[in-house]
């Protein structure tokens, strides 16, 4: 049995592809809880799964290939899917921070409901002053001020103003 945990937001969908399966195999896909997770076969070796409501369910994959003397060889695989609610609001724990040039820091973000696993996307208003990665970690560059904006799927945003200061005597300014 193969087991993997995936997080999915309610009403979102994704696909699973079973690779390296011989053509003569029969593949069946099913959900352990159709109220939480819908599963639909798309092709011989692919299924789509969609989060219906918050909870956990398994995608069960049954692979049957012809065996010796008509005795089929059957393999079962599972993939656990945790269905999380979408976030309805977002905010930074601090609206303004100061950081020295060359330093890094992870910005803290709060989403509601707190059980949501939705990931925000981050953008810097000026990447020369401050860069931000996909997890909200900022790296200070030139001295100045820039705004980090976090956005969730419903369009709600949070903003944090970042002031980059000199790291002592070394004044590295943007021209």
């Amino acid at each position: 049995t193969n087991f993997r945990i995936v997080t999915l937001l309610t009403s979102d969908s994704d696909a699973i592809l079973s690779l390296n399966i011989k053509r003569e195999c029969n593949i069946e896909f099913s959900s352990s809880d159709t109220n939480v997770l819908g599963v639909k076969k798309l092709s011989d070796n692919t299924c789509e799964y969609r989060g219906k409501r918050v909870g956990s369910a398994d995608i069960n994959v049954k692979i049957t290939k012809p065996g010796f003397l008509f005795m089929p060889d059957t393999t079962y695989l599972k993939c656990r899917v945790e269905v999380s609610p979408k976030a309805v609001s977002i905010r930074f724990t601090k609206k303004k921070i100061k950081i020295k040039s060359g330093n890094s820091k992870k910005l803290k973000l709060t989403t509601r409901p707190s059980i949501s696993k939705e990931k925000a996307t981050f953008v810097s208003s000026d990447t020369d002053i401050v860069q931000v990665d996909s997890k909200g970690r900022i790296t200070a560059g030139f001295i100045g001020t820039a705004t980090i904006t976090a956005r969730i799927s419903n369009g709600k945003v949070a903003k944090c103003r970042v002031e980059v200061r000199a790291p002592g005597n070394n004044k590295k300014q943007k021209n």
Side-chain angles (χ1 to χ4, degrees):
T1 301
N2 195 3
F3 199 75
R4 181 175 164 210
I5 298 177
V6 177
T7 300
L8 184 70
L9 300 175
T10 51
S11 69
D12 280 358
S13 64
D14 205 346
I16 287 183
L17 175 64
S18 300
L19 301 174
N20 299 324
I21 304 294
K22 294 181 181 178
R23 286 200 172 262
E24 66 269 8
C25 291
N26 179 41
I27 303 173
E28 297 173 33
F29 299 95
S30 65
S31 172
S32 65
D33 187 340
T34 57
N35 292 318
V36 172
L37 186 70
V39 175
K40 180 173 89 175
K41 189 170 184 173
L42 298 177
S43 68
D44 287 343
N45 66 344
T46 308
C47 81
E48 176 186 69
Y49 57 99
R50 179 176 299 279
K52 292 183 172 182
R53 71 172 197 205
V54 176
S56 297
D58 295 333
I59 297 173
N60 299 307
V61 184
K62 179 181 176 184
I63 305 168
T64 307
K65 63 181 178 177
F68 181 70
L69 295 175
F70 305 105
M71 297 294 291
D73 181 13
T74 304
T75 304
Y76 296 92
L77 304 174
K78 274 187 191 193
C79 177
R80 169 63 48 102
V81 179
E82 305 284 344
V83 181
S84 165
K86 289 187 177 186
V88 294
S89 68
I90 185 174
R91 71 176 183 86
F92 284 106
T93 55
K94 293 184 179 180
K95 292 187 184 230
K96 285 172 42 173
I97 66 162
K98 296 175 182 174
I99 187 171
K100 290 185 179 182
S101 179
N103 288 351
S104 293
K105 178 179 185 145
K106 176 135 173 45
L107 296 178
K108 292 182 181 158
L109 196 62
T110 302
T111 56
R112 295 283 184 240
S114 60
I115 62 169
S116 177
K117 302 276 191 230
E118 182 169 353
K119 304 286 185 225
T121 56
F122 298 91
V123 176
S124 172
S125 64
D126 190 330
T127 55
D128 289 334
I129 294 173
V130 64
Q131 293 182 2
V132 62
D133 69 13
S134 62
K135 295 179 180 172
R137 184 164 190 77
I138 59 170
T139 302
F142 292 107
I143 295 169
T145 302
T147 301
I148 301 298
T149 303
R151 180 180 308 273
I152 54 178
S153 64
N154 68 3
K156 300 278 184 173
V157 296
K159 294 184 183 277
C160 179
R161 187 179 160 124
V162 179
E163 181 184 330
V164 177
R165 294 180 161 190
N169 295 334
N170 182 6
K171 293 196 177 200
K172 182 179 170 189
Q173 289 187 321
K174 181 180 175 184
N175 294 330

